[in-house]
Amino acid sequence: MDDFASAFLNEADITALPDIDEHEEDGPTTTDSAKKARSLRNGIFRAASIQDKLLEKLLSQVIPAADDASHPQNPSLAADDFPSFAERPGFSVATMSNNFRRFNARIGVVFKFQSRALRVLAWRKPTHTLSLLAVYTFVCLDPYLLFALPLAIALVGIFIPSFVARHPAPTSDTDLVRNLGYSPRGPPLAPARTVKPAKELSRDFFRNMGDLQNVMDDFSVAHDKIIALVVPKTNFSDEALSSAIFCLVSAACCLMLISSHLIPWRYLMLVAGWGGILSGHPTAARYISQLQTQYLEKKSPPVITTASAPTTEQAKAVAAAVAAQHHQPASVLPAFDVKKFIEDDIILDSAPETREVEIFELQRLSFSSKEWEPWLFSPSPYDPLSAARISGARPVGTRFFEDVLAPEGWEWSEKKWALDLWSREWVEERIITGVEVETEGERWVYDIAAVAPENNDGDPVRSANQHQHWQQTQANGNAVSWEEGEMEEDGAMSGRRGEWRRRRWVRLVKRRSSVSGSGN
């Protein structure tokens, strides 16, 4: 802990303090109040710097720094594609605080533009709003003027005001100077206008912080309202409603692809822009508010207390209000019932999706007892020409039927496994060769062994070396294709069968529902 404190105190030096303006240096004319204000400001910044360094040290002890090479800030962006992004520093409290102060000192121009735009749209100066409508009209009627609009804004809004600031107009005092109008001739009379960031702890700095706070609140409220309005209708939490919207959007997309060139977009944008800007006029805003109050808000009938008996006029007013509510004039066009359309025309699949899964029961021939021994249940038939069989790998699976699990995301739809009686079909589908297929009985599919030399008793020799030679012969393509097997008269096995046999079991599964409340 002592090492941590000493390292922290060594780093908390005076270089972390903000720069002091030249005109604020100590001098003979500096007053005591200015010295106190400057010392107070330096103390505040020194305390903030110490707090930032202390917090950064604590975070570095609690959260170890990640390696930029192995843990990039954004794994989806490769360092080769964006080398400048890969070189950006990681999170730091001091860097975050410094960047926020710099950002807050320079964001004032955005808020000034926002306030001026709102004043223009609110018709504070009708001439400015009408000028905006004129420019908008020209751009709508001739969209190619949109490329000249940024150049005109640069000329009128940047170059001309900057030149006028360097060459100001003379004073309008008629008693001293004869007013002859503005003349741009002559050398510059004033310094060039520059944009300076707001000083920290100044009035503009705190005004920017207040505006930034309000903008963050507006964004959060707008984000929540958009999410509450759009997401429940598009995330298929209500599948019928989302399906209906999907069908309507698909039809609208197809219609726009076909007929978008027939729509007069210029005049539509012109009317929409004029309507939106005119709706911000105070007179139009009052009229729209009256319409909303009259038609959208429900009015309750006047309440009559029992303290005094109602007069004839009051009774008539109450009856008229009730009649106006219950007897609305019939509309000319029939109303479109969205709920009825969704219930009647949107048909959803009530039953879950089902699939068929398979498992192969493998048995191996014991050369000592000449009997088939249960081996395991495998997802692969382990046929003679399979990759695992050629490489000499053992089959993969489970020993017992009860240990066979449904695929991930699925659950069993049937209680028991069913034997596949169509053994010939799944052999043909997989193009399996070198096997013998039972079309009756237990539906086993046997390996066909290569023709083996016989001993004196007439039995085939089944030594390990010869068996390996038969497998190599089958792998080289000399094995026979599949054929239907026939049982001998005594029910014994044919001498041509190999050491493996398998049969296929099937079972239905259905998709497992993962709905737990409302999804995020």
Side-chain angles (χ1 to χ4, degrees), residues 174-192:
T174 56
D175 297 334
L176 301 177
V177 181
R178 184 180 178 183
N179 189 5
L180 298 177
Y182 175 73
S183 176
R185 299 177 180 176
L189 303 178

Side-chain angles (χ1 to χ4, degrees), residues 222-233:
H223 176 272
D224 295 340
K225 288 185 177 181
I226 292 174
I227 293 299
L229 178 64
V230 176
V231 172
K233 297 179 177 60

Side-chain angles (χ1 to χ4, degrees), residues 419-423 426 437-446 502-504:
L419 179 62
D420 187 3
L421 302 178
W422 305 96
S423 54
W426 66 263
V437 181
E438 274 188 358
T439 57
E440 296 180 356
E442 296 182 349
R443 303 312 197 266
W444 289 104
V445 177
Y446 299 85
R502 77 281 299 157
R503 58 181 175 178
R504 182 172 179 261

Side-chain angles (χ1 to χ4, degrees), residues 252-266:
C253 180
C254 296
L255 183 62
M256 293 301 295
L257 290 174
I258 298 174
S259 60
S260 59
H261 64 285
L262 302 176
I263 299 176
W265 294 108
R266 298 181 182 181

